[in-house]
mmCIF file of all heavy atoms in Angstrom:
data_model
loop_
_atom_site.group_PDB
_atom_site.id
_atom_site.type_symbol
_atom_site.label_atom_id
_atom_site.label_comp_id
_atom_site.label_asym_id
_atom_site.label_seq_id
_atom_site.Cartn_x
_atom_site.Cartn_y
_atom_site.Cartn_z
ATOM 1 N N LYS B 443 12.807 7.692 13.172
ATOM 2 C CA LYS B 443 12.677 8.917 12.387
ATOM 3 C C LYS B 443 13.654 9.977 12.886
ATOM 4 O O LYS B 443 14.387 10.581 12.110
ATOM 5 C CB LYS B 443 11.250 9.426 12.509
ATOM 6 C CG LYS B 443 10.758 10.221 11.352
ATOM 7 C CD LYS B 443 9.317 10.597 11.605
ATOM 8 C CE LYS B 443 8.500 10.387 10.369
ATOM 9 N NZ LYS B 443 7.104 10.782 10.495
ATOM 10 N N TYR B 444 13.701 10.169 14.204
ATOM 11 C CA TYR B 444 14.614 11.193 14.721
ATOM 12 C C TYR B 444 16.065 10.787 14.580
ATOM 13 O O TYR B 444 16.923 11.620 14.322
ATOM 14 C CB TYR B 444 14.214 11.596 16.147
ATOM 15 C CG TYR B 444 12.998 12.490 16.057
ATOM 16 C CD1 TYR B 444 11.720 12.013 16.274
ATOM 17 C CD2 TYR B 444 13.144 13.804 15.641
ATOM 18 C CE1 TYR B 444 10.619 12.819 16.111
ATOM 19 C CE2 TYR B 444 12.034 14.632 15.451
ATOM 20 C CZ TYR B 444 10.777 14.128 15.688
ATOM 21 O OH TYR B 444 9.693 14.952 15.503
ATOM 22 N N ASP B 445 16.338 9.467 14.677
ATOM 23 C CA ASP B 445 17.697 9.015 14.411
ATOM 24 C C ASP B 445 18.099 9.376 12.972
ATOM 25 O O ASP B 445 19.230 9.781 12.714
ATOM 26 C CB ASP B 445 17.796 7.498 14.606
ATOM 27 C CG ASP B 445 17.909 7.126 16.077
ATOM 28 O OD1 ASP B 445 18.142 8.030 16.903
ATOM 29 O OD2 ASP B 445 17.756 5.927 16.384
ATOM 30 N N ILE B 446 17.140 9.211 12.065
ATOM 31 C CA ILE B 446 17.439 9.478 10.650
ATOM 32 C C ILE B 446 17.631 10.978 10.410
ATOM 33 O O ILE B 446 18.549 11.381 9.701
ATOM 34 C CB ILE B 446 16.337 8.870 9.753
ATOM 35 C CG1 ILE B 446 16.481 7.349 9.759
ATOM 36 C CG2 ILE B 446 16.404 9.410 8.325
ATOM 37 C CD1 ILE B 446 15.325 6.599 9.123
ATOM 38 N N TYR B 447 16.809 11.802 11.041
ATOM 39 C CA TYR B 447 17.024 13.253 10.927
ATOM 40 C C TYR B 447 18.426 13.627 11.406
ATOM 41 O O TYR B 447 19.136 14.419 10.783
ATOM 42 C CB TYR B 447 16.000 14.032 11.774
ATOM 43 C CG TYR B 447 14.576 13.953 11.271
ATOM 44 C CD1 TYR B 447 13.517 14.184 12.113
ATOM 45 C CD2 TYR B 447 14.319 13.641 9.927
ATOM 46 C CE1 TYR B 447 12.199 14.123 11.657
ATOM 47 C CE2 TYR B 447 13.009 13.560 9.466
ATOM 48 C CZ TYR B 447 11.958 13.801 10.339
ATOM 49 O OH TYR B 447 10.679 13.727 9.880
ATOM 50 N N ARG B 448 18.811 13.046 12.528
ATOM 51 C CA ARG B 448 20.112 13.338 13.097
ATOM 52 C C ARG B 448 21.219 12.947 12.114
ATOM 53 O O ARG B 448 22.181 13.680 11.903
ATOM 54 C CB ARG B 448 20.255 12.532 14.410
ATOM 55 C CG ARG B 448 21.195 13.070 15.430
ATOM 56 C CD ARG B 448 21.157 12.188 16.676
ATOM 57 N NE ARG B 448 21.196 10.752 16.307
ATOM 58 C CZ ARG B 448 22.315 10.060 16.157
ATOM 59 N NH1 ARG B 448 23.458 10.604 16.375
ATOM 60 N NH2 ARG B 448 22.250 8.777 15.820
ATOM 61 N N LEU B 449 21.043 11.776 11.509
ATOM 62 C CA LEU B 449 22.027 11.286 10.546
ATOM 63 C C LEU B 449 22.148 12.225 9.351
ATOM 64 O O LEU B 449 23.256 12.550 8.915
ATOM 65 C CB LEU B 449 21.580 9.924 10.010
ATOM 66 C CG LEU B 449 22.026 8.711 10.758
ATOM 67 C CD1 LEU B 449 21.328 7.476 10.197
ATOM 68 C CD2 LEU B 449 23.538 8.550 10.624
ATOM 69 N N ILE B 450 20.998 12.674 8.854
ATOM 70 C CA ILE B 450 21.011 13.543 7.667
ATOM 71 C C ILE B 450 21.761 14.834 8.000
ATOM 72 O O ILE B 450 22.620 15.286 7.242
ATOM 73 C CB ILE B 450 19.560 13.845 7.200
ATOM 74 C CG1 ILE B 450 18.906 12.545 6.693
ATOM 75 C CG2 ILE B 450 19.554 14.910 6.106
ATOM 76 C CD1 ILE B 450 17.434 12.690 6.364
ATOM 77 N N ARG B 451 21.460 15.393 9.176
ATOM 78 C CA ARG B 451 22.144 16.619 9.566
ATOM 79 C C ARG B 451 23.626 16.396 9.692
ATOM 80 O O ARG B 451 24.444 17.231 9.292
ATOM 81 C CB ARG B 451 21.600 17.119 10.916
ATOM 82 C CG ARG B 451 20.197 17.645 10.788
ATOM 83 C CD ARG B 451 19.979 18.813 11.759
ATOM 84 N NE ARG B 451 18.623 19.303 11.579
ATOM 85 C CZ ARG B 451 17.594 18.884 12.310
ATOM 86 N NH1 ARG B 451 17.786 18.007 13.281
ATOM 87 N NH2 ARG B 451 16.397 19.376 12.094
ATOM 88 N N ARG B 452 24.008 15.244 10.302
ATOM 89 C CA ARG B 452 25.446 15.007 10.501
ATOM 90 C C ARG B 452 26.162 14.814 9.171
ATOM 91 O O ARG B 452 27.261 15.299 8.981
ATOM 92 C CB ARG B 452 25.651 13.790 11.403
ATOM 93 C CG ARG B 452 26.933 13.934 12.213
ATOM 94 C CD ARG B 452 27.256 12.694 12.988
ATOM 95 N NE ARG B 452 27.407 11.555 12.093
ATOM 96 C CZ ARG B 452 27.132 10.296 12.442
ATOM 97 N NH1 ARG B 452 26.653 10.038 13.630
ATOM 98 N NH2 ARG B 452 27.321 9.334 11.589
ATOM 99 N N LEU B 453 25.524 14.119 8.256
ATOM 100 C CA LEU B 453 26.133 13.909 6.941
ATOM 101 C C LEU B 453 26.374 15.260 6.263
ATOM 102 O O LEU B 453 27.422 15.487 5.657
ATOM 103 C CB LEU B 453 25.237 13.040 6.066
ATOM 104 C CG LEU B 453 25.266 11.551 6.428
ATOM 105 C CD1 LEU B 453 24.103 10.824 5.792
ATOM 106 C CD2 LEU B 453 26.588 10.947 5.960
ATOM 107 N N ALA B 454 25.383 16.158 6.373
ATOM 108 C CA ALA B 454 25.549 17.477 5.775
ATOM 109 C C ALA B 454 26.662 18.242 6.476
ATOM 110 O O ALA B 454 27.501 18.876 5.820
ATOM 111 C CB ALA B 454 24.230 18.252 5.845
ATOM 112 N N ALA B 455 26.700 18.133 7.796
ATOM 113 C CA ALA B 455 27.740 18.844 8.546
ATOM 114 C C ALA B 455 29.120 18.326 8.163
ATOM 115 O O ALA B 455 30.095 19.080 8.138
ATOM 116 C CB ALA B 455 27.505 18.664 10.041
ATOM 117 N N ASP B 456 29.219 17.054 7.812
ATOM 118 C CA ASP B 456 30.500 16.500 7.381
ATOM 119 C C ASP B 456 30.831 16.862 5.940
ATOM 120 O O ASP B 456 31.851 16.399 5.400
ATOM 121 C CB ASP B 456 30.476 14.961 7.521
ATOM 122 C CG ASP B 456 30.474 14.537 8.968
ATOM 123 O OD1 ASP B 456 30.714 15.421 9.841
ATOM 124 O OD2 ASP B 456 30.190 13.371 9.263
ATOM 125 N N GLY B 457 29.949 17.609 5.274
ATOM 126 C CA GLY B 457 30.294 18.113 3.954
ATOM 127 C C GLY B 457 29.586 17.479 2.782
ATOM 128 O O GLY B 457 29.805 17.850 1.653
ATOM 129 N N ALA B 458 28.732 16.495 3.051
ATOM 130 C CA ALA B 458 27.991 15.891 1.938
ATOM 131 C C ALA B 458 26.879 16.823 1.497
ATOM 132 O O ALA B 458 26.318 17.554 2.311
ATOM 133 C CB ALA B 458 27.421 14.544 2.361
ATOM 134 N N SER B 459 26.579 16.815 0.216
ATOM 135 C CA SER B 459 25.410 17.553 -0.274
ATOM 136 C C SER B 459 24.250 16.584 -0.325
ATOM 137 O O SER B 459 24.413 15.435 -0.723
ATOM 138 C CB SER B 459 25.676 18.075 -1.674
ATOM 139 O OG SER B 459 26.771 18.940 -1.639
ATOM 140 N N ILE B 460 23.091 17.041 0.080
ATOM 141 C CA ILE B 460 21.977 16.116 0.201
ATOM 142 C C ILE B 460 20.785 16.606 -0.619
ATOM 143 O O ILE B 460 20.411 17.773 -0.545
ATOM 144 C CB ILE B 460 21.581 15.924 1.684
ATOM 145 C CG1 ILE B 460 22.764 15.255 2.377
ATOM 146 C CG2 ILE B 460 20.317 15.100 1.812
ATOM 147 C CD1 ILE B 460 22.606 15.094 3.856
ATOM 148 N N LEU B 461 20.249 15.700 -1.394
ATOM 149 C CA LEU B 461 19.071 15.983 -2.185
ATOM 150 C C LEU B 461 17.997 15.037 -1.658
ATOM 151 O O LEU B 461 18.175 13.822 -1.674
ATOM 152 C CB LEU B 461 19.394 15.663 -3.643
ATOM 153 C CG LEU B 461 18.594 16.336 -4.731
ATOM 154 C CD1 LEU B 461 18.650 17.833 -4.559
ATOM 155 C CD2 LEU B 461 19.135 15.936 -6.090
ATOM 156 N N MET B 462 16.906 15.585 -1.159
ATOM 157 C CA MET B 462 15.974 14.769 -0.400
ATOM 158 C C MET B 462 14.550 14.981 -0.877
ATOM 159 O O MET B 462 14.012 16.079 -0.804
ATOM 160 C CB MET B 462 16.132 15.150 1.065
ATOM 161 C CG MET B 462 15.065 14.671 1.968
ATOM 162 S SD MET B 462 15.542 15.124 3.642
ATOM 163 C CE MET B 462 13.960 15.030 4.422
#
Side-chain angles (χ1 to χ4, degrees):
Chain B
K443 207 177 224 183
Y444 283 99
D445 281 347
I446 288 170
Y447 292 157
R448 205 177 45 90
L449 271 172
I450 294 173
R451 289 214 179 93
R452 210 187 59 210
L453 284 165
D456 291 347
S459 300
I460 295 175
L461 204 55
M462 166 175 160

